[in-house]
Amino acid sequence: MSMRLPKLSGEWINREKSLNFTFEGTEYTGYEGDTISSALLANGQKLLGRSFKYHRARGVLSFANHDINALVTDGLDTNIRSDVVPLKDGLVIKAVNTDGGVKKDRNRYFEMLAPLLPVGFYYKAFHTPRRLFPFWEKIIRKAAGLGIVNFNFPRITKRKLNQHCDVLVIGAGPAGLSAAIYAAQEGLSVTIVDENQQAGGALSYDLAGDQYSQTRSELLSKIAELPNINMHVGAYAAGYYTDHLIPVVGINGISKVRAKSVIVASGAFEQPPVFRNNDLPGVMLGSAAQRLMYRYGVKPFNTGVVFTANSYGYRVALDLINAGIKVAALVDLRANAREPLSAELSTKGINIYSGYCVYEAVPDSDKSGITSALICPYNEQTNEAKPEDAIEIACDGIAMSAGWAPAAGLLYQSGASMRFDYTTEQFVPEKLQKGVFAAGAVNGVYGLEQTLLDGRKSALNVMAYLGKSVSQIDDSSFAAEAIATVSHPYPIIDHPKGKNFVDFDEDIQLKDFINAAKEGFDNIELMKRFTTVGMGPSQGKHSNMNAIRILAKIRGLPVEKVGTTTSRPFFHPTPFGHLGGRSFHPQRLTSLHNWHEGAGAVFADVGAWSRPAYYPRAGLSKQDAVQQEAIAVRNKAGLIDAGTLGKVEVCGPDAAIFLESFYTGSFASQKVGTTRYAMLLDESGVIVDDGLASRLHQELFYITISTSNAAAVYREMQRWLQIWQLNAVLINVTGAYGAMNLAGPLSRDILSSLTTLDISEQAFAFGAIQQTEVAGIPARIIRSGFVAELAYEIHVPAADAPVVWNAILEAGKHQGLQLFGTEAQRLLRLEMGHHLPGHDTDGLTNPFEIGAEWALKMDKPFFIGQRSLQIIAKKPLTKKLVPFTLAADFNGEMPLDCNLVIEQGEIKGRVTSIAYSPAAKRVIGLAYVAPHQADTGNTFEIRTDNGSLVKATVGTTPFFKAE
């Protein structure tokens, strides 16, 4: 049976796009914009889930983003909040916490055991006899929890962003929108966050008069005109942390908003009255019925009774009538209510029962809905019902409206103190922390005009707090609103048979609180822990206020003496994937990354950086494409993005002294405008990294570090500088400078067309560095030889790197210039005979083993690892890194990196790098061998993966004869 209403103005669904989905094996149809719950109710499916403890039938309660009654699973994710999650086409779901389906849940008979399962039973039962505890433990563990954890759930992590603003407004209802507009008009940057999919709050569903809808349109129009307002809908402020740090949680992750001031306009939670069977499908809050009708075009029921204790219930009744739903009666808990809308309801034929209560919702045969409401007179003085005078009214739904509890969780977390206001019968802020302000219902202000004014007042307070000069608001036309109390002081109706639920999450009844108090748990915090009230997924949003009132009555104390429970983040259930971030795996991108993507580059992770590995070519395999890139560098010219290199400036009077101690080489005598090889060891003499040290001025060195070791080496620099207490400064400019390597025989011709610097062989020899301009951009040019004998490293400000990059490509397009990536770079450096720390070395390799004695200045007073090298030098070597080649006509099993060097069945070393060289026209590589095998011309054997032995010959580098 369809429960869809005719199309209504302002609804959130798109009736032009239908979506098909399956619930509990039955196929249904909904619309784009529906939530799972609204689509199910539109199809007449009122039974959405089963309660946690007794497995009672449950349906929509609040429809306000915190319903525990409707949790579903799609087989992959569990505990999907169906009142929040949008409907998707093809969705296949079922209710959680059932055995055999939601309609025929085998565990529904647990309700019959209710007398044996009072609150706290788990503290007292199952202890003895001890031998039976394992049996009970299995049963308890199986019953615990609401969904089944999927251990194969994919790791879906979300981004964390940072935002800053002058004022963060939490809540996009009338108070929040009014505050945001006023603050933005005064020039402040404003961020608004609201958990609903659209802004407007109650203005989007409380439509008993045209004024609300019109006001919403006006407010949103003003918002759209103000460019300094940033709106986040479908997201919620999850908590309050020091210095106005508010994590805003949305579907795509968390935005950490740091605001100079915060306006909490979070509104209030409608509170359900307590009566027998108040949890059955069809019994819902008045605001839930309104949301269903005016946001999703769904009838909450066909014939309803409105049970109210304030003026809001009269608006709910009028909205129901205007939507074409029959209202059988309005039951008002108050005997002497004087409501302006009562006359209008009476003219529409609605019977109003003042001084009555709903004593019981009469269930249908399978307790999955209701057939009528049993109402009777109610004595407000004694809080007693008179069931002997009961009247039964046929209906299939009850809309409840007993009052409100402020959504003040964030205020409590910020350190606000609250007081109980008997005018509104709710807690309101008494003292707020600096920079935090409240507006609207959370501030105890109701009525549209007063709410709008309160929003403007909060914005005025923000202006004053931030030191802005603004004119005062003229509120002389707004007298204090003489309204009836918005919340009833005790909407609790006792019943001898119970089943009058206070906490729907935990199936806690009125009698459970009475029993807990008798047990001695008569403090609100103790009662919370003993009964578990407010400890379910909704965190007491619809139960805490009633629990406080019940305890106050039990103890004979005013509500303010009972107090409230502690509010802790997070405000709503939050996925762990949001909190876990991106697995703590940072990825850095150069300023040329977008260009590489556009060129079709295939990327590889190198340390924390994403670098182009190679550039695919039509009709060529990866290996052939890499070979072509290398050939271009050898024969003509190639260009690679080297912006990932670590870059550190060392400056100050002791800069040279620092480098003398940090690296193995000599830098005190280094001339300005030159570079020197810089090898770094650890204290045991093991090779850590290498790079170049360029002297730009007498007290300024520019150091390059390998990509993957940049962060670690910089940390070591900082550590040793602190230990040595030298007069030097370290500046990490890795991200500030982009770099590119232009290499090959034609590289000089290409670069000379872009700079006025004389880069001839005589003026700019190998190892030189000069500061000049390239394509009009300030640049540092280094004559290097890592991948070719003629090559230039060009370092420019990162933001200007694309300009220089494109200029080089334009200058070289007629010279055969080609791009090359890290795969070709490794081949090219191998052809040159250069080792790579961390690739051709390991955690035990010392400089003597790779033939790098030339890089050691052992006559210096000190460098890191020097003493260890002095000891190592006295011991014979056990291995040595040598260049090798395979026979030119080799066509057997190709050796690979880490294949072992074998001599007479014994392991003597391993291959560290190997590849086919198009320049040398044979397979070349580097390998560790026994010292007696290391002389040029000697041969040794490599064992391949298939066990065969391949003969290799020790050679010389470079492996080719450059022109």
Side-chain angles (χ1 to χ4, degrees), residues 269-293:
F269 304 119
E270 191 170 16
Q271 300 296 286
V274 176
F275 55 89
R276 179 169 168 78
N277 293 329
N278 63 334
D279 64 326
L280 291 179
V283 182
M284 65 186 71
L285 294 172
S287 56
Q290 290 174 307
R291 290 184 181 96
L292 282 169
M293 292 186 295

Side-chain angles (χ1 to χ4, degrees), residues 155-400:
R155 186 178 185 85
I156 303 173
T157 55
K158 302 291 185 176
R159 298 186 67 183
K160 287 191 178 70
L161 303 175
N162 291 281
Q163 295 186 23
H164 300 265
C165 60
D166 291 326
V167 55
L168 172 66
V169 179
I170 301 171
L177 295 177
S178 174
I181 291 169
Y182 193 84
Q185 287 174 340
E186 296 295 335
L188 297 181
S189 63
V190 180
T191 295
I192 310 174
V193 57
D194 193 280
E195 61 187 315
N196 294 288
Q197 296 302 316
Q198 296 187 29
L203 300 180
S204 66
Y205 61 83
D206 182 12
L207 305 179
D210 293 335
Q211 182 186 9
Y212 278 33
S213 180
Q214 181 180 346
T215 301
R216 176 176 180 266
S217 298
E218 292 172 355
L219 291 172
L220 293 180
S221 295
K222 291 179 181 178
I223 292 285
E225 295 171 357
L226 294 166
N228 51 333
I229 293 182
N230 183 21
M231 177 91 77
H232 292 275
V233 292
Y236 57 89
Y240 178 92
Y241 297 89
T242 305
D243 297 329
H244 310 323
L245 169 61
I246 312 289
V248 175
V249 179
I251 191 172
N252 294 320
I254 294 180
S255 294
K256 292 179 280 188
V257 180
R258 290 171 171 83
K260 294 179 181 177
S261 59
V262 178
I263 296 176
V264 178
S266 48
F269 304 119
E270 191 170 16
Q271 300 296 286
V274 176
F275 55 89
R276 179 169 168 78
N277 293 329
N278 63 334
D279 64 326
L280 291 179
V283 182
M284 65 186 71
L285 294 172
S287 56
Q290 290 174 307
R291 290 184 181 96
L292 282 169
M293 292 186 295
Y294 293 110
R295 288 180 175 176
Y296 301 101
V298 176
K299 290 193 291 183
F301 35 72
N302 291 305
T303 301
V305 168
V306 176
F307 179 24
T308 188
N310 56 21
S311 58
Y312 186 75
Y314 289 76
R315 298 182 62 85
V316 171
L318 194 56
D319 273 337
L320 288 168
I321 295 168
N322 291 340
I325 295 167
K326 181 180 179 181
V327 177
L330 185 144
V331 180
D332 194 332
L333 205 58
R334 304 165 299 171
N336 300 310
R338 298 290 183 269
E339 292 295 341
L341 291 178
S342 60
E344 184 175 352
L345 291 175
S346 295
T347 60
K348 295 180 181 293
I350 306 303
N351 292 324
I352 299 176
Y353 293 86
S354 297
Y356 274 68
C357 68
V358 173
Y359 187 64
E360 178 181 353
V362 180
D364 57 19
S365 57
D366 61 356
K367 297 183 179 180
S368 61
I370 67 170
T371 60
S372 62
L374 199 64
I375 70 171
C376 67
Y378 179 77
N379 189 325
E380 285 190 279
Q381 304 303 316
T382 61
N383 303 127
E384 293 178 349
K386 297 180 179 180
E388 61 273 15
D389 298 324
I391 302 171
E392 188 167 358
I393 301 176
C395 63
D396 64 332
I398 299 175
M400 310 176 287

Side-chain angles (χ1 to χ4, degrees), residues 13 29 32 43 275 332 349 520 574 604 612 709 783 874 881 927 945:
I13 57 174
T29 300
E32 184 181 53
N43 285 276
F275 55 89
D332 194 332
T574 301
N709 289 330
R783 173 79 184 276
K874 297 175 182 179
L881 187 69
D945 282 355

